[in-house]
């Protein structure tokens, strides 16, 4: 479902002059989409930040430009922030046709605690943190939840094949792609390697001793 809406207006100020808009509490934005010309926009910074905080960047949103009667369905495609203050500098919005499928990268949210971590020397490795999916805009989930409670022992993993999503949503990835797995800590692996190396040296020493006796 789309958000209740964000009011925006067309923007005439461009280039370096947009800094004056920011001082007035307005964030510059661009709206673009397939088969349409890009539109320069501006919106209230506080309202925009509030929407981002509540909805994130992977939910379908409604915006209403000026006096237009019809709302537009959009996704936030890119957010630019000040590297020091974190304040909004610019936002790109992508307009979608709700009757056509789109592709979007969704974040993976890990939930629960793996029972395997109660075992000594086990660690968890997060291999993938987002996946690209395809579906109609209204069917897109805001995120992909991964239940870690199924990981009960060493060397177990969750792959793309194991994910449970709406049948209307297709994941654009190899089904065997590992998302998260349980592994032994590096120290344990190193210890095993050292033991093998020592055994090898011992065998060599014995072999050399026998050779000298001959």
């Amino acid at each position: 479902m789309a958000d209740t809406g964000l009011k925006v207006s067309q923007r005439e100020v461009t280039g370096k002059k947009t800094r004056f808009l920011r001082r007035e509490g307005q964030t510059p934005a661009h709206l673009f989409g397939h088969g349409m010309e890009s539109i320069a926009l501006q919106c209230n910074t506080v309202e925009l930040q509030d929407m981002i905080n509540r909805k994130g960047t992977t939910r379908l949103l409604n915006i209403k430009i000026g006096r237009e009667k019809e709302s537009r369905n959009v996704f936030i495609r890119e957010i630019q922030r000040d590297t020091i203050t974190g304040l909004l500098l610019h936002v790109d919005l992508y307009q979608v046709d709700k009757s056509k499928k789109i592709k979007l990268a969704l974040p993976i949210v890990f939930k629960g605690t793996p029972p395997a971590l109660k075992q000594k020397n086990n660690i968890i490795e997060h291999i993938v943190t987002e996946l690209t999916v395809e579906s109609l805009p209204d069917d897109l989930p805001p995120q992909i939840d991964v239940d870690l409670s199924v990981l009960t022992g060493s060397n177990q993993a969750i792959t793309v094949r194991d994910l449970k999503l709406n049948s209307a949503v297709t994941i654009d990835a190899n089904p065997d792609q590992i998302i998260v797995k349980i592994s032994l800590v590096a120290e344990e692996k190193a210890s095993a390697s050292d033991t093998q190396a020592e055994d090898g040296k011992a065998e060599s020493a014995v072999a050399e001793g026998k050779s000298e006796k001959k």
Side-chain angles (χ1 to χ4, degrees), residues 36 71 98 110 112 114-115 131 149 167 178 206:
M36 64 171 284
S71 296
K98 295 178 73 174
F110 298 100
L131 287 170
S149 65
S167 59
I178 294 177
V206 172

mmCIF file with all atom_site columns, all heavy atoms in Angstrom, residues 36 71 98 110 112 114-115 131 149 167 178 206:
data_model
loop_
_atom_site.group_PDB
_atom_site.id
_atom_site.type_symbol
_atom_site.label_atom_id
_atom_site.label_alt_id
_atom_site.label_comp_id
_atom_site.label_asym_id
_atom_site.label_entity_id
_atom_site.label_seq_id
_atom_site.pdbx_PDB_ins_code
_atom_site.Cartn_x
_atom_site.Cartn_y
_atom_site.Cartn_z
_atom_site.occupancy
_atom_site.B_iso_or_equiv
_atom_site.pdbx_formal_charge
_atom_site.auth_seq_id
_atom_site.auth_comp_id
_atom_site.auth_asym_id
_atom_site.auth_atom_id
_atom_site.pdbx_PDB_model_num
ATOM 1  N N   . MET A 1 36  ? 8.948  9.400   -19.458 1.00 0.00 ? 36  MET A N   1
ATOM 2  C CA  . MET A 1 36  ? 8.557  10.738  -19.024 1.00 0.00 ? 36  MET A CA  1
ATOM 3  C C   . MET A 1 36  ? 9.778  11.624  -18.876 1.00 0.00 ? 36  MET A C   1
ATOM 4  O O   . MET A 1 36  ? 10.899 11.140  -18.687 1.00 0.00 ? 36  MET A O   1
ATOM 5  C CB  . MET A 1 36  ? 7.799  10.688  -17.689 1.00 0.00 ? 36  MET A CB  1
ATOM 6  C CG  . MET A 1 36  ? 8.633  10.168  -16.523 1.00 0.00 ? 36  MET A CG  1
ATOM 7  S SD  . MET A 1 36  ? 7.832  10.346  -14.913 1.00 0.00 ? 36  MET A SD  1
ATOM 8  C CE  . MET A 1 36  ? 8.041  12.107  -14.620 1.00 0.00 ? 36  MET A CE  1
ATOM 9  N N   . SER A 1 71  ? -2.582 11.944  -7.618  1.00 0.00 ? 71  SER A N   1
ATOM 10 C CA  . SER A 1 71  ? -1.297 11.672  -6.975  1.00 0.00 ? 71  SER A CA  1
ATOM 11 C C   . SER A 1 71  ? -0.445 10.793  -7.885  1.00 0.00 ? 71  SER A C   1
ATOM 12 O O   . SER A 1 71  ? -0.955 10.105  -8.767  1.00 0.00 ? 71  SER A O   1
ATOM 13 C CB  . SER A 1 71  ? -1.513 10.957  -5.642  1.00 0.00 ? 71  SER A CB  1
ATOM 14 O OG  . SER A 1 71  ? -2.203 11.789  -4.728  1.00 0.00 ? 71  SER A OG  1
ATOM 15 N N   . LYS A 1 98  ? 1.674  1.262   -11.777 1.00 0.00 ? 98  LYS A N   1
ATOM 16 C CA  . LYS A 1 98  ? 1.296  0.179   -10.877 1.00 0.00 ? 98  LYS A CA  1
ATOM 17 C C   . LYS A 1 98  ? 0.865  -1.082  -11.599 1.00 0.00 ? 98  LYS A C   1
ATOM 18 O O   . LYS A 1 98  ? 0.758  -2.152  -10.989 1.00 0.00 ? 98  LYS A O   1
ATOM 19 C CB  . LYS A 1 98  ? 0.193  0.656   -9.931  1.00 0.00 ? 98  LYS A CB  1
ATOM 20 C CG  . LYS A 1 98  ? 0.649  1.762   -8.992  1.00 0.00 ? 98  LYS A CG  1
ATOM 21 C CD  . LYS A 1 98  ? -0.470 2.247   -8.086  1.00 0.00 ? 98  LYS A CD  1
ATOM 22 C CE  . LYS A 1 98  ? -0.806 1.248   -7.025  1.00 0.00 ? 98  LYS A CE  1
ATOM 23 N NZ  . LYS A 1 98  ? -1.794 1.760   -6.043  1.00 0.00 ? 98  LYS A NZ  1
ATOM 24 N N   . PHE A 1 110 ? 17.774 -9.601  9.352   1.00 0.00 ? 110 PHE A N   1
ATOM 25 C CA  . PHE A 1 110 ? 17.965 -10.861 10.064  1.00 0.00 ? 110 PHE A CA  1
ATOM 26 C C   . PHE A 1 110 ? 17.235 -10.807 11.405  1.00 0.00 ? 110 PHE A C   1
ATOM 27 O O   . PHE A 1 110 ? 17.399 -9.871  12.173  1.00 0.00 ? 110 PHE A O   1
ATOM 28 C CB  . PHE A 1 110 ? 19.455 -11.119 10.283  1.00 0.00 ? 110 PHE A CB  1
ATOM 29 C CG  . PHE A 1 110 ? 20.229 -11.250 8.993   1.00 0.00 ? 110 PHE A CG  1
ATOM 30 C CD1 . PHE A 1 110 ? 20.967 -10.188 8.503   1.00 0.00 ? 110 PHE A CD1 1
ATOM 31 C CD2 . PHE A 1 110 ? 20.183 -12.430 8.266   1.00 0.00 ? 110 PHE A CD2 1
ATOM 32 C CE1 . PHE A 1 110 ? 21.671 -10.300 7.315   1.00 0.00 ? 110 PHE A CE1 1
ATOM 33 C CE2 . PHE A 1 110 ? 20.884 -12.553 7.078   1.00 0.00 ? 110 PHE A CE2 1
ATOM 34 C CZ  . PHE A 1 110 ? 21.625 -11.489 6.596   1.00 0.00 ? 110 PHE A CZ  1
ATOM 35 N N   . GLY A 1 112 ? 15.911 -13.006 14.997  1.00 0.00 ? 112 GLY A N   1
ATOM 36 C CA  . GLY A 1 112 ? 16.141 -14.150 15.864  1.00 0.00 ? 112 GLY A CA  1
ATOM 37 C C   . GLY A 1 112 ? 17.617 -14.394 16.129  1.00 0.00 ? 112 GLY A C   1
ATOM 38 O O   . GLY A 1 112 ? 18.488 -13.737 15.564  1.00 0.00 ? 112 GLY A O   1
ATOM 39 N N   . PRO A 1 114 ? 20.552 -17.499 16.238  1.00 0.00 ? 114 PRO A N   1
ATOM 40 C CA  . PRO A 1 114 ? 20.835 -18.897 15.858  1.00 0.00 ? 114 PRO A CA  1
ATOM 41 C C   . PRO A 1 114 ? 21.219 -19.734 17.082  1.00 0.00 ? 114 PRO A C   1
ATOM 42 O O   . PRO A 1 114 ? 22.155 -19.373 17.800  1.00 0.00 ? 114 PRO A O   1
ATOM 43 C CB  . PRO A 1 114 ? 22.021 -18.771 14.893  1.00 0.00 ? 114 PRO A CB  1
ATOM 44 C CG  . PRO A 1 114 ? 22.057 -17.339 14.486  1.00 0.00 ? 114 PRO A CG  1
ATOM 45 C CD  . PRO A 1 114 ? 21.518 -16.569 15.647  1.00 0.00 ? 114 PRO A CD  1
ATOM 46 N N   . PRO A 1 115 ? 20.542 -20.841 17.353  1.00 0.00 ? 115 PRO A N   1
ATOM 47 C CA  . PRO A 1 115 ? 20.932 -21.727 18.463  1.00 0.00 ? 115 PRO A CA  1
ATOM 48 C C   . PRO A 1 115 ? 22.368 -22.210 18.310  1.00 0.00 ? 115 PRO A C   1
ATOM 49 O O   . PRO A 1 115 ? 23.032 -22.524 19.314  1.00 0.00 ? 115 PRO A O   1
ATOM 50 C CB  . PRO A 1 115 ? 19.937 -22.890 18.330  1.00 0.00 ? 115 PRO A CB  1
ATOM 51 C CG  . PRO A 1 115 ? 18.737 -22.279 17.673  1.00 0.00 ? 115 PRO A CG  1
ATOM 52 C CD  . PRO A 1 115 ? 19.306 -21.297 16.694  1.00 0.00 ? 115 PRO A CD  1
ATOM 53 N N   . LEU A 1 131 ? 18.897 -8.051  -1.698  1.00 0.00 ? 131 LEU A N   1
ATOM 54 C CA  . LEU A 1 131 ? 18.610 -8.829  -2.895  1.00 0.00 ? 131 LEU A CA  1
ATOM 55 C C   . LEU A 1 131 ? 17.687 -8.033  -3.808  1.00 0.00 ? 131 LEU A C   1
ATOM 56 O O   . LEU A 1 131 ? 16.822 -7.287  -3.337  1.00 0.00 ? 131 LEU A O   1
ATOM 57 C CB  . LEU A 1 131 ? 17.941 -10.155 -2.532  1.00 0.00 ? 131 LEU A CB  1
ATOM 58 C CG  . LEU A 1 131 ? 18.816 -11.240 -1.894  1.00 0.00 ? 131 LEU A CG  1
ATOM 59 C CD1 . LEU A 1 131 ? 17.941 -12.375 -1.391  1.00 0.00 ? 131 LEU A CD1 1
ATOM 60 C CD2 . LEU A 1 131 ? 19.841 -11.757 -2.889  1.00 0.00 ? 131 LEU A CD2 1
ATOM 61 N N   . SER A 1 149 ? 16.688 -18.553 13.504  1.00 0.00 ? 149 SER A N   1
ATOM 62 C CA  . SER A 1 149 ? 16.481 -19.603 14.506  1.00 0.00 ? 149 SER A CA  1
ATOM 63 C C   . SER A 1 149 ? 16.597 -21.006 13.919  1.00 0.00 ? 149 SER A C   1
ATOM 64 O O   . SER A 1 149 ? 16.683 -21.988 14.663  1.00 0.00 ? 149 SER A O   1
ATOM 65 C CB  . SER A 1 149 ? 15.115 -19.435 15.176  1.00 0.00 ? 149 SER A CB  1
ATOM 66 O OG  . SER A 1 149 ? 14.064 -19.640 14.232  1.00 0.00 ? 149 SER A OG  1
ATOM 67 N N   . SER A 1 167 ? 4.245  -15.284 -3.579  1.00 0.00 ? 167 SER A N   1
ATOM 68 C CA  . SER A 1 167 ? 4.446  -15.914 -4.884  1.00 0.00 ? 167 SER A CA  1
ATOM 69 C C   . SER A 1 167 ? 4.484  -14.903 -6.020  1.00 0.00 ? 167 SER A C   1
ATOM 70 O O   . SER A 1 167 ? 4.985  -15.204 -7.112  1.00 0.00 ? 167 SER A O   1
ATOM 71 C CB  . SER A 1 167 ? 3.346  -16.944 -5.152  1.00 0.00 ? 167 SER A CB  1
ATOM 72 O OG  . SER A 1 167 ? 2.062  -16.322 -5.130  1.00 0.00 ? 167 SER A OG  1
ATOM 73 N N   . ILE A 1 178 ? 24.279 -18.278 -1.027  1.00 0.00 ? 178 ILE A N   1
ATOM 74 C CA  . ILE A 1 178 ? 24.219 -18.296 0.439   1.00 0.00 ? 178 ILE A CA  1
ATOM 75 C C   . ILE A 1 178 ? 24.012 -16.887 0.973   1.00 0.00 ? 178 ILE A C   1
ATOM 76 O O   . ILE A 1 178 ? 24.694 -15.955 0.563   1.00 0.00 ? 178 ILE A O   1
ATOM 77 C CB  . ILE A 1 178 ? 25.513 -18.893 1.022   1.00 0.00 ? 178 ILE A CB  1
ATOM 78 C CG1 . ILE A 1 178 ? 25.633 -20.378 0.653   1.00 0.00 ? 178 ILE A CG1 1
ATOM 79 C CG2 . ILE A 1 178 ? 25.539 -18.737 2.545   1.00 0.00 ? 178 ILE A CG2 1
ATOM 80 C CD1 . ILE A 1 178 ? 26.919 -21.018 1.128   1.00 0.00 ? 178 ILE A CD1 1
ATOM 81 N N   . VAL A 1 206 ? 60.507 -39.022 11.365  1.00 0.00 ? 206 VAL A N   1
ATOM 82 C CA  . VAL A 1 206 ? 60.573 -40.477 11.508  1.00 0.00 ? 206 VAL A CA  1
ATOM 83 C C   . VAL A 1 206 ? 61.150 -41.101 10.249  1.00 0.00 ? 206 VAL A C   1
ATOM 84 O O   . VAL A 1 206 ? 61.992 -41.989 10.291  1.00 0.00 ? 206 VAL A O   1
ATOM 85 C CB  . VAL A 1 206 ? 59.180 -41.062 11.810  1.00 0.00 ? 206 VAL A CB  1
ATOM 86 C CG1 . VAL A 1 206 ? 59.227 -42.581 11.754  1.00 0.00 ? 206 VAL A CG1 1
ATOM 87 C CG2 . VAL A 1 206 ? 58.698 -40.597 13.171  1.00 0.00 ? 206 VAL A CG2 1
#
